[in-house]
Amino acid sequence: MEKDGSELASISNPLWLNAEITYKCPLHCVFCYNPVDYTRYGQELATEDWLRVFREARALGAVQLGLSGGEPLTRDDLEIMVREASGLGYYVNLITSGIGLNEKRIAAFKEGGLDQIQLSFQDSTRELNDFLSSTRTFELKSKVARLIKQYDYPMVLNVVLHRLNIDHVGQILEMAEVMGAEHVELANTQYYGWAFVNREHLLPSREQLERAEEVTNTFRARVGNAMKVYFVVPDYYADRPKKCVNGWGTTFLNVASDGVALPCHEARMLPGLSFPNVRDHDLRWIWHESPAFNAYRGVGWMKQPCRSCPERFKDFGGCRCQAYLLTGDAANADPVCSLSPHHGRVTTVVEKAQLPGERVPVRPLLFRGDRNSRQLSQ
Amino acid sequence: MSEPRLPLPPDAPIELLRQFRLQWEPAQQCYVLLYPEGMVQLRGGAGEIMKRVDGQASLHGIVADLQRAFPGADLRADVVDFLEVAHGKGWIRAGQHQ
C-alpha cells in the first residue's frame, strides 16, 4: 500500500544499526543481555544477507554500525563485513570480548576501515573477571588491549558494573588508565536477559552505588579530558524511566543473528508482536510499515498514567520490555517511574538489595550457556 | 546554559582527535561528527566550521577562510566561540607539531 509523503516524514530515520551477527560466545557472563532462550533461534544469516542488511540500513540513513553478538569474532567473515560497511560510509564499531582477536585479524580490520574496537572487561582482577565470565580470559584480554594500542585504535573499554564488582571501580579505572584508555564505559547492569534471571545477585546497594559514583567523580577530576568516563546508573534507582532506545522505532534498529529485526535488543520477548525477518522483507518496509515497529511508536499506544503525563514526550513511558517483565503488560508505564501504580515491584527489589552482602539467594548464579539456555527455553 | 570552553592558540594547526570522523549525511542533510557509538549533528554554521578543521588550518586561517566564503558578516566571535566549545568537549586539539 502506498503511503503519502507526510506520513512517512513523521517517522525518523534509523541512525544506529546493531548487527548481532551471532549468538555464539566463548564467555558465559552472568549479566549477558542476550535472550535467555537464544538456543531456540534459527540459523545465522549468511554473509550476503548481512551485506544486504548493511546496504539497506545505510540507504535508510543509518550511520553507526555495531558489530556485536554474542562474540562477533566467532564469525570468520567479519573481515568481509567490516570492509563492506566501511565502504558504505558507516562508522564501524566492533563490540567484543577480545577473544579471537589476533594480530592477523586486527591488521585486516584496520586495512578494511574498522573505526573502533570496544573491549569488554568483567573486572580489574583476574580472579573476578574469570569467575564472572566463567572462563580464563583475563590475560588474553590484556594482550588484546595491547594490540588495540599497537594498531593505533582509540582504547574504548566497557565494564559492566554490578554488586559483585562495583566496589572495585577505583581499581578498574586505574587499570583503564594504565592501558591508556580514552573512553571508559562503566555501565551498570540493566536487568534483561541473563541479568534479569540473576538480578538478586547483581543489583548493588544504594551505598555501593553512591560510593562508586564518588570514586568515579574524583577520578574524572584528576584525569580531565585525557579520559572520558561514562557512568551509566542502574535505572532501578531512578524515579523516572530512561528514554529507552531513544524512543521505540525512532533511532535504533537491531538485527538478530537469525535475521529478526527488532527496535531494541530485548523486544523479541514481548508477546503478541510478530517481528519481521530480513529474509522475508526489506528494511524500508520493516522500519516504516511493519506492525511490530509501529506498535509502540509515539504516544498513541499509552495507558494512564503515561497518556496524560506532561513528561510523555520526554521518556515515552520508559522501556516496553521492562514494563512487560515487571508488570506483565508492555503498554504499562515502565515501573521504574514513581508515578507507575506498579512502582512497588521495583522498590521491593531495591529494598532487598540494601540487606548486607551475605544473603542466601533463592537460586544459584546462572551462567550464560547453551545448557542453561535450553533449560530456560522450556 | 554556557558550555565549558578551552582556549586555542591562534596560529597552531587544529585537528580532530583520531576517534572522530566528520562526514556529510545526505539523509540528515547536515554534517555529522561520528565517534565511538555516538554522533553529533552539526547544522548550518557548525558544519561549515568543522569541515575546515583539517589538521592544517589554524584558528586564524579558519576565520579568514570563512570570512572569504561568507563576506559581509563578522564571524570571528562566533567561530572562536564554537571552536573553544569543541575543544572543551575534546573533539579537536591544537596540533603537536607546527
Side-chain angles (χ1 to χ4, degrees):
Chain A
M1 213 169 64
E2 282 288 308
K3 288 237 171 179
D4 70 38
S6 61
E7 203 166 332
L8 274 183
S10 68
I11 296 176
S12 56
N13 301 322
L15 297 176
W16 174 271
L17 173 66
N18 193 53
E20 292 180 327
I21 57 175
T22 181
Y23 281 131
K24 291 197 193 78
C25 188
L27 301 191
H28 304 286
C29 301
V30 294
F31 49 75
C32 183
Y33 61 76
N34 280 169
V36 290
D37 60 353
Y38 70 87
T39 39
R40 273 214 295 224
Y41 303 157
Q43 225 189 344
E44 290 179 4
L45 289 183
T47 317
E48 270 314 308
D49 293 324
W50 280 116
L51 301 189
R52 179 174 52 82
V53 166
F54 297 168
R55 285 192 292 272
E56 288 180 3
R58 184 73 185 114
L60 285 177
V63 62
Q64 287 278 357
L65 172 66
L67 293 168
S68 120
E71 174 47 66
L73 289 164
T74 60
R75 284 200 55 150
D76 60 11
D77 53 357
L78 187 56
E79 285 81 347
I80 300 170
M81 294 189 210
V82 164
R83 183 178 300 276
E84 174 77 8
S86 177
L88 288 167
Y90 280 106
Y91 192 94
V92 186
N93 305 269
L94 175 60
I95 296 155
T96 179
S97 68
I99 311 307
L101 193 61
N102 53 35
E103 182 144 16
K104 186 166 166 245
R105 296 198 83 181
I106 198 171
F109 294 144
K110 189 81 192 182
E111 210 236 309
L114 181 69
D115 289 286
Q116 76 112 350
I117 300 171
Q118 186 203 90
L119 181 64
S120 66
F121 265 83
Q122 279 66 43
D123 194 52
S124 58
T125 66
R126 179 191 301 121
E127 290 70 26
L128 201 51
N129 177 81
D130 291 358
F131 171 70
L132 291 168
S133 58
S134 190
T135 54
R136 299 179 64 179
T137 54
F138 186 78
E139 298 301 336
L140 207 61
K141 280 168 179 280
S142 306
K143 250 185 228 161
V144 166
R146 287 193 291 275
L147 267 183
I148 289 173
K149 272 280 165 198
Q150 188 189 323
Y151 278 79
D152 196 34
Y153 274 112
M155 174 75 72
V156 181
L157 284 188
N158 177 286
V159 184
V160 177
L161 294 184
H162 45 72
R163 192 179 186 93
L164 305 172
N165 69 357
I166 194 167
D167 295 330
H168 304 172
V169 107
Q171 291 100 301
I172 289 170
L173 286 168
E174 278 164 28
M175 173 190 81
E177 195 181 13
V178 170
M179 285 179 175
E182 275 115 335
H183 288 240
V184 179
E185 251 180 61
L186 299 170
N188 268 283
T189 308
Q190 310 243 21
Y191 294 98
Y192 306 99
W194 297 84
F196 185 73
V197 177
N198 290 315
R199 184 176 62 175
E200 207 189 334
H201 296 268
L202 298 177
L203 189 66
S205 72
R206 186 172 283 112
E207 195 196 332
Q208 281 184 300
L209 195 62
E210 282 166 4
R211 211 162 42 221
E213 275 200 273
E214 202 182 300
V215 169
T216 304
N217 286 332
T218 310
F219 182 84
R220 276 187 186 133
R222 180 166 70 74
V223 300
N225 256 350
M227 196 196 291
K228 293 262 184 207
V229 184
Y230 300 93
F231 190 92
V232 184
V233 297
D235 60 354
Y236 276 44
Y237 280 95
D239 60 2
R240 285 292 179 275
K242 59 183 179 264
K243 186 183 187 182
C244 198
V245 289
N246 203 40
W248 179 281
T250 65
T251 313
F252 190 79
L253 171 57
N254 193 70
V255 179
S257 69
D258 59 345
V260 169
L262 301 160
C264 78
H265 303 100
E266 310 295 333
R268 194 188 312 230
M269 74 168 93
L270 300 177
L273 294 177
S274 163
F275 287 102
N277 194 301
V278 298
R279 296 182 215 256
D280 310 320
H281 301 279
D282 64 73
L283 279 182
R284 181 168 294 279
W285 182 87
I286 288 172
W287 182 259
H288 287 280
E289 315 270 345
S290 71
F293 273 74
N294 281 303
Y296 297 109
R297 264 200 178 112
V299 296
W301 53 271
M302 285 178 175
K303 305 205 286 192
Q304 291 293 17
C306 297
R307 183 183 282 274
S308 60
C309 180
E311 293 174 46
R312 67 190 180 281
F313 292 102
K314 200 168 126 194
D315 54 35
F316 292 111
C319 172
R320 297 305 91 230
C321 304
Q322 191 143 276
Y324 170 67
L325 272 176
L326 299 182
T327 78
D329 182 351
N332 278 333
D334 183 335
V336 156
C337 186
S338 62
L339 301 171
S340 156
H342 302 100
H343 186 51
R345 299 193 186 171
V346 172
T347 51
T348 310
V349 178
V350 166
E351 285 326 308
K352 241 173 128 179
Q354 310 316 311
L355 301 172
E358 309 305 317
R359 301 155 307 154
V360 183
V362 181
R363 58 194 293 181
L365 200 56
L366 207 65
F367 289 94
R368 177 205 201 267
D370 291 358
R371 216 176 57 143
N372 284 336
S373 173
R374 278 191 285 272
Q375 238 160 48
L376 288 167
S377 300
Q378 281 159 17
Chain B
M1 263 205 348
S2 75
E3 308 241 28
R5 46 195 79 208
L6 265 182
L8 281 159
D11 294 315
I14 301 175
E15 62 189 19
L16 274 178
L17 270 78
R18 73 185 183 315
Q19 63 265 45
F20 291 91
R21 194 170 88 209
L22 184 79
Q23 73 187 33
W24 173 258
E25 276 298 297
Q28 301 175 53
Q29 283 297 300
C30 67
Y31 279 94
V32 297
L33 188 64
L34 300 166
Y35 53 92
E37 295 191 50
M39 180 188 82
V40 181
Q41 294 179 322
L42 298 168
R43 301 209 172 271
E48 288 296 328
I49 299 170
M50 282 301 281
K51 78 179 189 193
R52 288 169 168 80
V53 173
D54 59 2
Q56 316 257 320
S58 65
L59 193 145
H60 266 342
I62 290 171
V63 171
D65 193 43
L66 282 161
Q67 291 287 14
R68 275 193 296 277
F70 304 96
D74 184 11
L75 303 168
R76 188 181 166 80
D78 287 346
V79 176
V80 171
D81 222 45
F82 176 84
L83 286 174
E84 288 187 354
V85 169
H87 193 205
K89 286 180 184 291
W91 299 347
I92 58 173
R93 66 179 174 197
Q96 320 299 63
H97 311 288
Q98 296 208 15

